[in-house]
Amino acid sequence: MKFFINKENLLFAIQSVQRAVSQKSPLPILTGIKFSCEEDKLVLSATDFEISVRCAVPATVEESGSLVIPARYITEFARRLPDSIIEFEAGPDSTMAVIRYGDSEFNINGYDASEFPSFVIPEEEFSFKLDADLFKEIIKQVTFAVSTEESRPVFTGVFFEIVAGRLTIVATDTFRLALRHTAINEETPELINVIVPGKTLNELARTADPKSIVEVIIGKTHAAFITGEIQIIARLIPGKFPSYRQVIPNQFISEIKIPLKDFLESAERVALLAGENNLLVSLYIRENHVVLNMRSETGWIREEIKSEVNGDKLEISFNVRYLCDVLRSINYEQLVVRFTGPLTPALIIPEDNKDYLSILVPARLSRE
Amino acid sequence: MKFFINKENLLFAIQSVQRAVSQKSPLPILTGIKFSCEEDKLVLSATDFEISVRCAVPATVEESGSLVIPARYITEFARRLPDSIIEFEAGPDSTMAVIRYGDSEFNINGYDASEFPSFVIPEEEFSFKLDADLFKEIIKQVTFAVSTEESRPVFTGVFFEIVAGRLTIVATDTFRLALRHTAINEETPELINVIVPGKTLNELARTADPKSIVEVIIGKTHAAFITGEIQIIARLIPGKFPSYRQVIPNQFISEIKIPLKDFLESAERVALLAGENNLLVSLYIRENHVVLNMRSETGWIREEIKSEVNGDKLEISFNVRYLCDVLRSINYEQLVVRFTGPLTPALIIPEDNKDYLSILVPARLSRE
């Protein structure tokens, strides 16, 4: 292997794949990035078996071949290289990389690339395309509700359901649920549903270029997300996602219309008083305003927000962090919150948009 | 106590004093910020007994008085306040703060301000003024060499020596030393020398407004640094600073002239290979270039830098982190490094400036 590359392309490729590098794998080779070159491309790939990322960039290839280089060193090193053409060459036994720049040279022990897991785009069952900025938005709107408890794997994922030109994505940790519908151009002949790890989707939403297109390919055991020269493969989570339709309430005793900005800012101030023993914010639904209230050993806070209120007066308590999570993740000016009772789930929806909803389960007041 | 203030002034004052708040004091009141108001000012102060900071900002005072408010809550809270006029009032027993904004209200338990340590500018022995940007520069040039070992307190400080219109500041941890001379306008009748905690100076250099003037007041046990509406008092470190003059070498066997940028970038790449067991970079001084070299289990690196070389060829080894520290802290284009031998201290000075010097003690090669 021997190639020449400029610093900018090298850095872009390394930064694109580095999040998939295994931090503490029992297999040392997975702490490396695979460098592979042929024709006029350098192809980098990394995997921790849950997520695999591959990125191709232009390079002047003198001799094809591949080599795995420890990510920890090459990432920092590439950032500190001079802005010049960099030469990479595999040492004689193909496990050492020799990197030349100016009159200097860096030699680093690597691994035999033949032992690196191969990168295979899953065989396509169904695929569709979305604008990357829409993809980022819908992912952000649901992933806050993903569970972090590894003991119940299906809740750590985001459910993708596709039927009749409509994609529905759902996440829940049983205390809250977030759901988003999006139209897609492709029609699927039958219902498709899979669970994609939430962490992978967050990573994808973080890195995707907002101006690009994301192609989503769904296979039997894996899904692939392709945007520009970057390909990401995620292992699907096996299991059955809970039936979300039956938990969406449809009868309500009262409803408020409230500006998101005011609601979020008040909730965030209230959250400052939250400690390990007091996470509950009480909402008092009154005639033309909502009061948020929390009391702790340190003090108490009372936030009053003007709001259109219809239906019964009500007092209900939520985990204040869960309330902040949902308000931070959605991006609509005016929200409608519908209540089914003081101890039953509330529904949060945008005022003029039927594509999004979120459900929040109330908590009993700790002083009860 | 009752006053009205805008968010911007409140935040500025809190952020100015919060670094002096004690993080884990046995005295709970020191985890608070003292709010005090009289005439048309709100005065905030905080202290951990090593450093005390005071900041005054304009406010509309309705009733004078003071109160100590827990820093942890008020700092975050002030950041999240709406951009409106905020009302502060002490509760009836003067240990609770009531903060009103819009239709909302935050109540937080505080402490009786009469138990808070008083803030006293030390009685002046000598004082001088410096432009804040110069002050920031000279502090940065020496504090990297301050020791972090609390067992030898004098080395954790920066030595200030003032004689005949010249300020000399020096820091050393015995492995390296950094010294900077600066002319000051005031003449002192006798030699003044004190040791100021390095941490305090770093904090001061970080916060001082670059366009302002820093007034330094030196007393018997404390020094004060005054810039604009911010006053910082530092406890002086008792003890005798080692005599720095006799450790500055004055006979050399060789000398290099080297661009700082090239030297630093090479040293930083070398430092990437440094681990717990290999911190030594070898410098080979050759005819018209310098080679930096490091070898570890992971690989090896060879950096070659063009340089004017006078005197003997030489091989010398340094702790690579110490070398990076000094190169990062000084800001001159061209450096001169003078060597006294392979196992004796080297002197680093700017090519055209006699106000700065740094000394680096070599390390024996670990493979010897």
Side-chain angles (χ1 to χ4, degrees):
Chain A
M1 180 184 78
K2 184 171 181 179
F3 64 91
F4 299 86
I5 191 164
N6 67 37
K7 179 183 173 179
E8 195 187 343
N9 284 334
L10 176 66
L11 255 187
F12 174 78
I14 290 176
Q15 286 167 350
S16 298
V17 305
Q18 70 176 343
R19 292 288 173 131
V21 171
S22 181
Q23 293 306 307
K24 38 183 181 180
S25 173
L27 284 175
I29 197 171
L30 295 192
T31 63
I33 294 172
K34 182 178 168 190
F35 281 61
S36 182
C37 60
E38 50 192 40
E39 291 173 11
D40 56 353
K41 294 266 183 219
L42 166 68
V43 179
L44 262 53
S45 56
T47 184
D48 64 2
F49 285 128
E50 181 167 303
I51 178 172
S52 307
V53 184
R54 180 184 190 276
C55 179
V57 283
T60 305
V61 177
E62 210 161 86
E63 195 186 320
S64 64
S66 47
L67 184 66
V68 177
I69 305 180
R72 190 182 142 209
Y73 292 98
I74 195 67
T75 306
E76 274 300 303
F77 182 75
R79 274 209 276 152
R80 295 182 184 282
L81 277 170
D83 280 322
S84 62
I85 294 294
I86 321 292
E87 177 189 341
F88 276 74
E89 189 175 11
D93 58 351
S94 274
T95 60
M96 170 165 270
V98 183
I99 306 167
R100 298 190 188 92
Y101 45 99
D103 296 319
S104 302
E105 165 175 338
F106 180 53
N107 292 258
I108 182 145
N109 295 322
Y111 302 95
D112 185 344
S114 67
E115 289 165 26
F116 202 76
S118 56
F119 187 95
V120 184
I121 296 285
E123 203 171 313
E124 177 179 324
E125 298 273 304
F126 182 71
S127 79
F128 61 94
K129 289 179 182 169
L130 279 183
D131 283 342
D133 51 358
L134 176 62
F135 186 84
K136 281 168 176 274
E137 180 195 309
I138 67 174
I139 294 302
K140 184 178 168 224
Q141 285 182 340
V142 304
T143 46
F144 72 87
V146 163
S147 171
T148 52
E149 273 184 46
E150 301 290 342
S151 59
R152 299 184 302 173
V154 297
F155 293 109
T156 66
V158 173
F159 185 59
F160 278 58
E161 181 182 73
I162 305 161
V163 58
R166 193 162 85 151
L167 164 69
T168 302
I169 60 172
V170 189
T172 182
D173 64 359
T174 74
F175 302 109
R176 53 210 171 141
L177 177 147
L179 175 153
R180 167 78 198 229
H181 299 298
T182 316
I184 55 174
N185 279 329
E186 291 78 2
E187 282 281 343
T188 158
E190 52 182 327
L191 177 74
I192 285 185
N193 53 49
V194 294
I195 309 170
V196 184
K199 271 190 284 185
T200 303
L201 290 172
N202 278 329
E203 177 55 22
L204 184 60
R206 202 187 57 82
T207 52
D209 178 354
K211 287 170 210 137
S212 65
I213 299 283
V214 178
E215 184 183 0
V216 183
I217 298 173
I218 292 173
K220 280 207 173 5
T221 58
H222 289 77
F225 302 87
I226 300 177
T227 160
E229 290 293 342
I230 301 174
Q231 304 180 341
I232 299 182
I233 297 175
R235 190 178 51 76
L236 297 175
I237 297 175
K240 189 170 162 8
F241 200 78
S243 170
Y244 64 86
R245 279 190 188 79
Q246 63 202 46
V247 303
I248 301 173
N250 52 22
Q251 285 196 316
F252 306 96
I253 61 164
S254 47
E255 171 189 285
I256 60 172
K257 287 187 187 162
I258 193 165
L260 170 64
K261 183 169 178 287
D262 296 350
F263 201 8
L264 174 59
E265 287 179 358
S266 285
E268 287 188 326
R269 284 190 291 267
V270 170
L272 293 176
L273 268 189
E276 280 189 24
N277 300 318
N278 60 309
L279 279 167
L280 297 193
V281 54
S282 300
L283 267 67
Y284 299 86
I285 312 301
R286 292 294 175 250
E287 259 182 37
N288 51 11
H289 63 269
V290 175
V291 174
L292 274 64
N293 206 77
M294 180 182 279
R295 189 174 287 275
S296 80
E297 285 175 14
T298 316
W300 61 271
I301 185 163
R302 179 189 179 283
E303 290 276 339
E304 184 174 327
I305 311 164
K306 286 192 181 55
S307 163
E308 195 183 317
V309 176
N310 294 305
D312 300 353
K313 287 186 186 174
L314 184 74
E315 181 180 343
I316 187 168
S317 294
F318 296 110
N319 177 318
V320 70
R321 300 213 174 115
Y322 287 177
L323 179 63
C324 288
D325 282 349
V326 57
L327 298 177
R328 266 186 220 121
S329 300
I330 55 185
N331 187 20
Y332 302 103
E333 277 196 17
Q334 193 80 3
L335 296 185
V336 175
V337 187
R338 292 188 178 140
F339 300 95
T340 58
L343 298 170
T344 44
L347 185 72
I348 301 172
I349 54 176
E351 191 183 11
D352 301 311
N353 187 321
K354 296 199 184 324
D355 285 340
Y356 178 80
L357 70 85
S358 150
I359 297 169
L360 208 49
V361 176
R364 275 177 176 274
L365 284 175
S366 57
R367 60 186 150 89
E368 278 184 339
Chain B
M1 181 183 79
K2 184 172 181 181
F3 64 90
F4 299 86
I5 191 163
N6 68 37
K7 179 184 174 180
E8 193 187 347
N9 285 333
L10 176 66
L11 255 187
F12 174 77
I14 290 177
Q15 286 167 350
S16 299
V17 305
Q18 68 176 345
R19 293 288 173 134
V21 171
S22 182
Q23 292 306 307
K24 37 183 181 180
S25 173
L27 284 175
I29 198 172
L30 294 191
T31 62
I33 293 172
K34 183 178 168 191
F35 281 62
S36 184
C37 61
E38 51 192 38
E39 290 175 8
D40 56 354
K41 292 266 183 219
L42 167 68
V43 179
L44 262 52
S45 55
T47 184
D48 63 1
F49 284 129
E50 180 167 305
I51 177 172
S52 306
V53 184
R54 181 183 188 278
C55 179
V57 284
T60 305
V61 177
E62 210 159 86
E63 196 186 321
S64 64
S66 46
L67 184 65
V68 177
I69 304 180
R72 190 182 143 209
Y73 293 98
I74 195 66
T75 306
E76 274 300 303
F77 183 74
R79 274 210 274 152
R80 296 183 184 282
L81 278 169
D83 280 323
S84 61
I85 294 295
I86 321 292
E87 177 189 341
F88 276 75
E89 189 174 12
D93 58 352
S94 273
T95 60
M96 170 165 270
V98 182
I99 306 166
R100 297 190 189 91
Y101 46 99
D103 296 319
S104 303
E105 166 174 337
F106 179 55
N107 292 258
I108 182 148
N109 294 322
Y111 303 95
D112 185 345
S114 67
E115 288 165 26
F116 202 76
S118 57
F119 186 96
V120 185
I121 296 285
E123 204 171 312
E124 176 179 325
E125 298 272 306
F126 182 72
S127 77
F128 61 93
K129 288 180 182 167
L130 279 183
D131 283 341
D133 52 358
L134 176 61
F135 185 83
K136 281 168 175 276
E137 180 195 309
I138 68 176
I139 295 302
K140 186 180 168 222
Q141 286 182 340
V142 305
T143 46
F144 72 88
V146 162
S147 171
T148 52
E149 274 184 45
E150 300 290 341
S151 58
R152 300 182 304 173
V154 297
F155 293 108
T156 66
V158 173
F159 185 59
F160 278 58
E161 181 182 74
I162 304 159
V163 58
R166 194 163 84 150
L167 164 69
T168 302
I169 60 173
V170 189
T172 182
D173 63 0
T174 74
F175 303 107
R176 52 209 170 143
L177 177 148
L179 176 153
R180 167 77 198 230
H181 299 301
T182 317
I184 56 174
N185 279 328
E186 291 77 3
E187 283 280 344
T188 159
E190 53 180 327
L191 177 73
I192 284 184
N193 54 49
V194 293
I195 308 171
V196 184
K199 271 189 284 186
T200 304
L201 290 172
N202 278 330
E203 177 54 20
L204 186 59
R206 201 188 58 81
T207 52
D209 178 355
K211 286 169 210 138
S212 64
I213 299 282
V214 178
E215 182 181 1
V216 183
I217 299 173
I218 293 172
K220 280 209 172 8
T221 58
H222 289 77
F225 302 86
I226 300 176
T227 159
E229 290 294 344
I230 302 174
Q231 304 180 341
I232 299 181
I233 297 176
R235 190 179 50 77
L236 297 175
I237 297 174
K240 192 173 162 4
F241 200 78
S243 169
Y244 64 86
R245 280 190 188 79
Q246 62 202 43
V247 301
I248 301 173
N250 53 22
Q251 283 194 320
F252 306 95
I253 61 164
S254 46
E255 172 188 286
I256 60 172
K257 286 187 186 160
I258 194 164
L260 169 64
K261 184 169 179 286
D262 297 349
F263 200 8
L264 173 59
E265 288 179 357
S266 285
E268 286 189 327
R269 283 191 292 266
V270 170
L272 293 176
L273 268 189
E276 278 189 25
N277 301 318
N278 59 311
L279 279 167
L280 298 193
V281 55
S282 300
L283 267 66
Y284 298 86
I285 312 302
R286 292 295 175 250
E287 260 181 36
N288 51 12
H289 63 268
V290 175
V291 173
L292 273 64
N293 206 75
M294 181 183 275
R295 188 175 286 277
S296 81
E297 285 174 13
T298 317
W300 61 272
I301 184 163
R302 179 190 179 281
E303 290 275 340
E304 184 173 326
I305 311 164
K306 286 192 180 54
S307 163
E308 194 183 318
V309 176
N310 294 304
D312 300 352
K313 286 185 186 173
L314 183 74
E315 181 180 342
I316 187 168
S317 294
F318 295 111
N319 178 318
V320 69
R321 300 216 174 114
Y322 287 178
L323 180 63
C324 287
D325 281 349
V326 56
L327 298 178
R328 264 185 223 124
S329 300
I330 55 185
N331 188 18
Y332 301 103
E333 276 194 19
Q334 193 80 3
L335 297 185
V336 175
V337 187
R338 292 187 178 139
F339 300 94
T340 60
L343 297 170
T344 47
L347 186 72
I348 300 172
I349 54 176
E351 189 182 14
D352 302 308
N353 187 320
K354 295 197 185 326
D355 285 340
Y356 179 79
L357 70 84
S358 151
I359 298 169
L360 209 49
V361 175
R364 275 176 176 275
L365 285 175
S366 57
R367 59 185 150 90
E368 279 185 341

